[in-house]
Amino acid sequence: MAAKIIDGKAIAEEMRQEIADQASQLKLEVGLAPGLAAVLVGEDPASATYVRMKRRACEKVGIESFGHELPADASQEEVEELVRELGEDPKVHGILVQLPLPDHIDEESVLNTVPLEKDVDGFHPVNIGRLTMKNREPLFIPCTPHGVIELLEQAGAKFEGAEAVVLGRSNIVGLPVAMLLLHRNCTTTICHSRTKDLPAVTSEADILIAAVGQPEMVKADWVKPGAYVIDVGTNRVDDVSAKRGYRLTGDVDFDEVKEVAGALSPSPGGVGPMTITMLLQNTLRSAQRALL
Amino acid sequence: MAAKIIDGKAIAEEMRQEIADQASQLKLEVGLAPGLAAVLVGEDPASATYVRMKRRACEKVGIESFGHELPADASQEEVEELVRELGEDPKVHGILVQLPLPDHIDEESVLNTVPLEKDVDGFHPVNIGRLTMKNREPLFIPCTPHGVIELLEQAGAKFEGAEAVVLGRSNIVGLPVAMLLLHRNCTTTICHSRTKDLPAVTSEADILIAAVGQPEMVKADWVKPGAYVIDVGTNRVDDVSAKRGYRLTGDVDFDEVKEVAGALSPSPGGVGPMTITMLLQNTLRSAQRALL
């Protein structure tokens, strides 16, 4: 039986339409659009591309986007001063500090400068602390983990009592997604590069999240028949037949796993479009909280 | 083969001797003892007992203890004002707010008032956030989870690649202990009341932490032969033959499990004495950080 393919692009598109409607209603009611400020330090081309994509996505749904660029040799104080100014700007409801920052910058200290109520990335230590603890609500849920949950919900996954396995333990995906699954009453396992027998662990999962950054690592025999599988990986692999000389692929061997899983989100086209969507949603919510 | 019994009392005693030595050395060097302030709101007898035990333990190792009691109807502002004053008192290196607080008090807001560098309980949301994330060090590790790890280390448990299962997901034990095991490269599973087949999950564990508050729930067939088992539970069960009419027992059926486990910490006499010891150690470290 072939898996149901979870179409992240379509789900994201529908959510963005809803966000656009609410943003235009907000503007009608209070005369101000939600605003997102993006801070880019240095000239890393991948980071510049991400910021450009996010700003373009903002414009499409009626969220005002403010770009702020600092040179690669900007000082800690300069970066934090900019973030503080944005923190006080009433037109800015969300502040996005594009990571990674240059090596000489203390990342945690910069993130601490983002006011909690504008932390639309959800990476402020207080937000992560609240996300971890039971009965404490973070003001914002980090975007990629939130997108993973949204895909599972829309695909009809049952969380209660399910065995969830998260492959990968990064601060931005693996750890927070594990906490979100746990709070939804999954029995939750986090496995990683030091796990002794990965396929033995992952093949127990009713819900499997792959977030390790290893191209097509998850094979058919790693997956329990009927499982919900979300592929968070986006890896470049060389491909001479491709125009760019490479193609993008997930952490899951799509062709194999789609014959076993009950539902599967592809990569690209699954979690990717959801991440920016959740950023837009967080920014909208922040503006609604501040303005209504 | 009978399990090695992990003697928490003996390990705690040895650590307290070391803490006492360092506290007296600190006093010699800078003329000031480490100081712990305990805040007790209301007259809950169990809470009063805990505070008394902690204060007595302080005195025995040369940590000065300051008791502060507020009536059960104290206002949010009164409690926070007291905590703020203690935050500014240079003789106080650790502030312990005894939980639970009365229902009308916003617990998180009070805990947020404790300065990060005096949060010897480790429950400030920023400390929990740092504990959760990779490559972020909390200033203090919460005492009971830290005691669990210390017992495992002293008993010779190997963390790297081990399957660790945490039974229970409380903010004060289950969740943080799971994060500590994960950071030590265990494959880490959190299970709980909604888990479908608990024995099937726990019997895979090389390291099993029982922290659910269910008397003698963990039976021999829940445990993998040779596993390290730490019993965090302390439950009262009726016992007419006991002088007080009850006896204390852990979450693990000691008599059964000791025949299967490789190492087992009893309760009482395992984690209990370690919790206060870690509080003393956190207070000492805080004083060393502030004074040296």
Side-chain angles (χ1 to χ4, degrees), chain A residues 48-67:
Chain A
T49 303
Y50 289 136
V51 167
R52 206 161 45 233
M53 284 169 63
K54 290 168 185 172
R55 295 195 59 191
R56 204 180 305 142
C58 281
E59 282 147 30
K60 281 197 182 161
V61 297
I63 291 177
E64 199 158 354
S65 94
F66 309 96

Side-chain angles (χ1 to χ4, degrees), chain A residues 107-108 111-112 123 125-126 128-130 132-134 136 160-163 169-171 175 179 182-183 185-192 194-196 201, chain B residues 107-108 111-112 123 125-126 128-130 132-134 136 160-163 169-171 175 179 182-183 185-192 194-196 201:
Chain A
E107 192 174 291
E108 191 186 1
L111 293 181
N112 266 320
F123 291 143
V126 168
I128 295 289
R130 287 189 185 160
T132 303
M133 294 171 99
K134 265 206 303 188
R136 299 264 171 91
E160 186 80 18
E163 300 239 3
R169 52 177 164 170
S170 69
N171 287 339
L175 279 172
M179 294 301 111
L182 181 66
H183 297 327
N185 292 328
C186 296
T187 302
T188 304
T189 298
I190 307 170
C191 55
H192 43 77
R194 313 297 177 85
T195 294
K196 273 179 191 148
V201 179
Chain B
E107 190 173 294
E108 192 185 1
L111 294 181
N112 266 321
F123 291 143
V126 168
I128 295 289
R130 288 189 185 159
T132 304
M133 294 171 97
K134 265 205 305 188
R136 300 265 169 90
E160 186 79 19
E163 301 240 2
R169 51 176 165 172
S170 69
N171 287 338
L175 278 172
M179 295 301 110
L182 181 66
H183 297 327
N185 292 328
C186 295
T187 302
T188 304
T189 298
I190 307 171
C191 55
H192 44 78
R194 312 299 178 84
T195 295
K196 273 178 192 148
V201 178

Side-chain angles (χ1 to χ4, degrees), chain A residues 222-290:
Chain A
W222 291 42
V223 174
K224 182 175 173 175
Y228 284 76
V229 180
I230 304 290
D231 188 354
V232 188
T234 311
N235 312 289
R236 279 187 186 199
V237 290
D238 293 338
D239 184 347
V240 288
S241 74
K243 224 169 40 182
R244 296 174 295 192
Y246 66 85
R247 63 189 170 86
L248 294 176
T249 184
D251 293 348
V252 174
D253 188 324
F254 185 84
D255 290 332
E256 273 196 18
V257 170
K258 79 171 177 352
E259 301 301 326
V260 181
L264 171 61
S265 83
S267 176
V271 176
M274 293 301 288
T275 296
I276 294 185
T277 304
M278 302 327 276
L279 176 69
L280 301 175
Q281 192 184 68
N282 278 349
T283 306
L284 171 70
R285 295 230 168 118
S286 178
Q288 289 170 327
R289 227 180 252 148

